[in-house]
Short mmCIF file of all heavy atoms in Angstrom, two decimals:
data_model
loop_
_atom_site.label_atom_id
_atom_site.label_comp_id
_atom_site.label_asym_id
_atom_site.label_seq_id
_atom_site.Cartn_x
_atom_site.Cartn_y
_atom_site.Cartn_z
N ARG C 45 9.08 -4.29 4.39
CA ARG C 45 9.36 -5.73 4.40
C ARG C 45 8.15 -6.61 4.68
O ARG C 45 8.14 -7.52 5.51
CB ARG C 45 10.51 -6.07 5.35
CG ARG C 45 11.75 -5.39 4.99
CD ARG C 45 12.83 -5.68 5.99
NE ARG C 45 13.96 -4.82 5.80
CZ ARG C 45 15.15 -5.27 5.55
NH1 ARG C 45 15.43 -6.51 5.52
NH2 ARG C 45 16.13 -4.38 5.29
N ILE C 46 7.08 -6.28 4.00
CA ILE C 46 5.85 -7.05 4.12
C ILE C 46 5.98 -8.28 3.24
O ILE C 46 6.60 -8.24 2.17
CB ILE C 46 4.65 -6.18 3.64
CG1 ILE C 46 4.57 -4.88 4.45
CG2 ILE C 46 3.36 -6.95 3.73
CD1 ILE C 46 3.68 -3.82 3.88
N GLY C 47 5.43 -9.38 3.66
CA GLY C 47 5.50 -10.62 2.86
C GLY C 47 4.94 -10.44 1.47
O GLY C 47 4.05 -9.62 1.23
N PHE C 48 5.49 -11.18 0.55
CA PHE C 48 5.14 -10.99 -0.87
C PHE C 48 3.65 -11.19 -1.12
O PHE C 48 3.01 -10.39 -1.80
CB PHE C 48 5.98 -11.88 -1.80
CG PHE C 48 6.02 -11.40 -3.20
CD1 PHE C 48 6.78 -10.31 -3.54
CD2 PHE C 48 5.31 -12.04 -4.21
CE1 PHE C 48 6.85 -9.83 -4.86
CE2 PHE C 48 5.33 -11.60 -5.51
CZ PHE C 48 6.11 -10.48 -5.82
N PHE C 49 3.09 -12.26 -0.61
CA PHE C 49 1.63 -12.51 -0.77
C PHE C 49 0.94 -12.45 0.57
O PHE C 49 -0.10 -13.08 0.77
CB PHE C 49 1.41 -13.85 -1.46
CG PHE C 49 1.75 -13.80 -2.91
CD1 PHE C 49 2.84 -14.55 -3.40
CD2 PHE C 49 1.01 -13.05 -3.82
CE1 PHE C 49 3.17 -14.52 -4.76
CE2 PHE C 49 1.34 -13.02 -5.15
CZ PHE C 49 2.41 -13.77 -5.62
N ASP C 50 1.47 -11.70 1.52
CA ASP C 50 0.84 -11.57 2.83
C ASP C 50 -0.48 -10.81 2.67
O ASP C 50 -0.56 -9.80 2.00
CB ASP C 50 1.79 -10.76 3.76
CG ASP C 50 1.25 -10.58 5.17
OD1 ASP C 50 0.40 -11.41 5.58
OD2 ASP C 50 1.67 -9.64 5.81
N THR C 51 -1.54 -11.35 3.27
CA THR C 51 -2.81 -10.70 3.19
C THR C 51 -3.24 -10.08 4.47
O THR C 51 -4.41 -9.83 4.73
CB THR C 51 -3.92 -11.72 2.73
OG1 THR C 51 -3.92 -12.81 3.64
CG2 THR C 51 -3.64 -12.22 1.33
N GLY C 52 -2.25 -9.79 5.35
CA GLY C 52 -2.54 -9.18 6.63
C GLY C 52 -2.92 -7.72 6.50
O GLY C 52 -3.16 -7.19 5.38
N GLY C 53 -2.91 -7.01 7.60
CA GLY C 53 -3.38 -5.65 7.61
C GLY C 53 -2.25 -4.61 7.52
O GLY C 53 -2.31 -3.59 8.20
N ASP C 54 -1.20 -4.88 6.76
CA ASP C 54 -0.06 -3.92 6.61
C ASP C 54 -0.48 -2.75 5.74
O ASP C 54 -0.90 -2.93 4.60
CB ASP C 54 1.13 -4.61 6.07
CG ASP C 54 1.65 -5.72 7.00
OD1 ASP C 54 1.69 -5.49 8.19
OD2 ASP C 54 1.95 -6.84 6.47
N THR C 55 -0.33 -1.52 6.27
CA THR C 55 -0.77 -0.38 5.47
C THR C 55 0.44 0.56 5.22
O THR C 55 1.32 0.67 6.02
CB THR C 55 -1.87 0.43 6.22
OG1 THR C 55 -1.36 0.85 7.48
CG2 THR C 55 -3.10 -0.38 6.39
N VAL C 56 0.37 1.16 4.07
CA VAL C 56 1.30 2.21 3.64
C VAL C 56 0.49 3.32 3.04
O VAL C 56 -0.32 3.09 2.14
CB VAL C 56 2.30 1.66 2.61
CG1 VAL C 56 3.14 2.75 2.03
CG2 VAL C 56 3.17 0.57 3.27
N LEU C 57 0.67 4.53 3.55
CA LEU C 57 -0.09 5.71 3.04
C LEU C 57 -1.57 5.43 3.03
O LEU C 57 -2.33 5.75 2.11
CB LEU C 57 0.38 6.10 1.60
CG LEU C 57 1.83 6.47 1.45
CD1 LEU C 57 2.17 6.73 -0.02
CD2 LEU C 57 2.18 7.71 2.27
N ALA C 58 -2.06 4.84 4.12
CA ALA C 58 -3.48 4.53 4.37
C ALA C 58 -4.06 3.47 3.43
O ALA C 58 -5.24 3.27 3.40
CB ALA C 58 -4.31 5.80 4.34
N LEU C 59 -3.21 2.81 2.65
CA LEU C 59 -3.67 1.72 1.75
C LEU C 59 -3.05 0.41 2.25
O LEU C 59 -1.88 0.36 2.63
CB LEU C 59 -3.27 2.01 0.32
CG LEU C 59 -3.86 3.24 -0.32
CD1 LEU C 59 -3.18 3.48 -1.71
CD2 LEU C 59 -5.35 3.10 -0.47
N ASN C 60 -3.83 -0.63 2.14
CA ASN C 60 -3.33 -1.95 2.47
C ASN C 60 -2.37 -2.42 1.36
O ASN C 60 -2.58 -2.10 0.19
CB ASN C 60 -4.48 -2.95 2.61
CG ASN C 60 -4.19 -4.05 3.58
OD1 ASN C 60 -3.72 -3.78 4.69
ND2 ASN C 60 -4.45 -5.29 3.18
N THR C 61 -1.33 -3.13 1.72
CA THR C 61 -0.37 -3.56 0.71
C THR C 61 0.32 -4.85 1.13
O THR C 61 0.24 -5.31 2.25
CB THR C 61 0.67 -2.44 0.42
OG1 THR C 61 1.43 -2.82 -0.69
CG2 THR C 61 1.58 -2.24 1.62
N ASN C 62 1.01 -5.46 0.18
CA ASN C 62 1.90 -6.56 0.38
C ASN C 62 3.02 -6.43 -0.64
O ASN C 62 3.05 -5.50 -1.45
CB ASN C 62 1.21 -7.90 0.34
CG ASN C 62 0.60 -8.23 -1.01
OD1 ASN C 62 0.89 -7.59 -2.02
ND2 ASN C 62 -0.30 -9.21 -1.03
N GLY C 63 3.97 -7.34 -0.65
CA GLY C 63 5.12 -7.25 -1.54
C GLY C 63 4.71 -7.29 -2.99
O GLY C 63 5.25 -6.55 -3.82
N ALA C 64 3.73 -8.11 -3.33
CA ALA C 64 3.28 -8.26 -4.73
C ALA C 64 2.67 -6.94 -5.21
O ALA C 64 2.99 -6.45 -6.31
CB ALA C 64 2.31 -9.39 -4.90
N LEU C 65 1.82 -6.32 -4.41
CA LEU C 65 1.22 -5.07 -4.79
C LEU C 65 2.25 -3.94 -4.87
O LEU C 65 2.21 -3.09 -5.77
CB LEU C 65 0.12 -4.67 -3.78
CG LEU C 65 -0.69 -3.40 -4.11
CD1 LEU C 65 -1.35 -3.50 -5.50
CD2 LEU C 65 -1.71 -3.10 -3.05
N SER C 66 3.25 -3.99 -3.98
CA SER C 66 4.34 -2.99 -4.05
C SER C 66 5.11 -3.07 -5.33
O SER C 66 5.39 -2.09 -5.98
CB SER C 66 5.25 -3.17 -2.82
OG SER C 66 4.56 -2.94 -1.61
N VAL C 67 5.51 -4.31 -5.70
CA VAL C 67 6.27 -4.51 -6.96
C VAL C 67 5.43 -4.10 -8.16
O VAL C 67 5.91 -3.44 -9.08
CB VAL C 67 6.79 -5.94 -7.08
CG1 VAL C 67 7.32 -6.25 -8.45
CG2 VAL C 67 7.81 -6.23 -6.01
N LEU C 68 4.16 -4.51 -8.15
CA LEU C 68 3.24 -4.13 -9.24
C LEU C 68 3.09 -2.61 -9.35
O LEU C 68 3.13 -2.04 -10.46
CB LEU C 68 1.87 -4.83 -9.05
CG LEU C 68 0.84 -4.59 -10.12
CD1 LEU C 68 1.33 -5.18 -11.49
CD2 LEU C 68 -0.46 -5.24 -9.75
N SER C 69 3.01 -1.94 -8.23
CA SER C 69 2.89 -0.48 -8.22
C SER C 69 4.11 0.18 -8.81
O SER C 69 4.02 1.13 -9.56
CB SER C 69 2.65 0.03 -6.79
OG SER C 69 1.42 -0.46 -6.28
N ILE C 70 5.31 -0.35 -8.44
CA ILE C 70 6.54 0.21 -8.97
C ILE C 70 6.61 -0.01 -10.47
O ILE C 70 7.01 0.92 -11.24
CB ILE C 70 7.76 -0.42 -8.27
CG1 ILE C 70 7.81 0.07 -6.79
CG2 ILE C 70 9.06 -0.06 -8.99
CD1 ILE C 70 8.83 -0.65 -5.97
N CYS C 71 6.25 -1.17 -10.96
CA CYS C 71 6.29 -1.47 -12.41
C CYS C 71 5.33 -0.54 -13.19
O CYS C 71 5.70 0.02 -14.21
CB CYS C 71 5.96 -2.91 -12.67
SG CYS C 71 7.25 -4.05 -12.07
N ILE C 72 4.11 -0.42 -12.70
CA ILE C 72 3.15 0.45 -13.40
C ILE C 72 3.57 1.90 -13.27
O ILE C 72 3.44 2.68 -14.27
CB ILE C 72 1.71 0.23 -12.85
CG1 ILE C 72 1.26 -1.19 -13.26
CG2 ILE C 72 0.75 1.27 -13.37
CD1 ILE C 72 -0.04 -1.59 -12.60
#
Side-chain angles (χ1 to χ4, degrees):
R45 298 177 191 238
I46 303 166
F48 200 73
F49 288 112
D50 181 23
T51 56
D54 297 317
T55 60
V56 171
L57 300 176
L59 297 172
N60 210 48
T61 190
N62 63 15
L65 183 58
S66 296
V67 169
L68 183 62
S69 296
I70 291 171
C71 292
I72 293 173

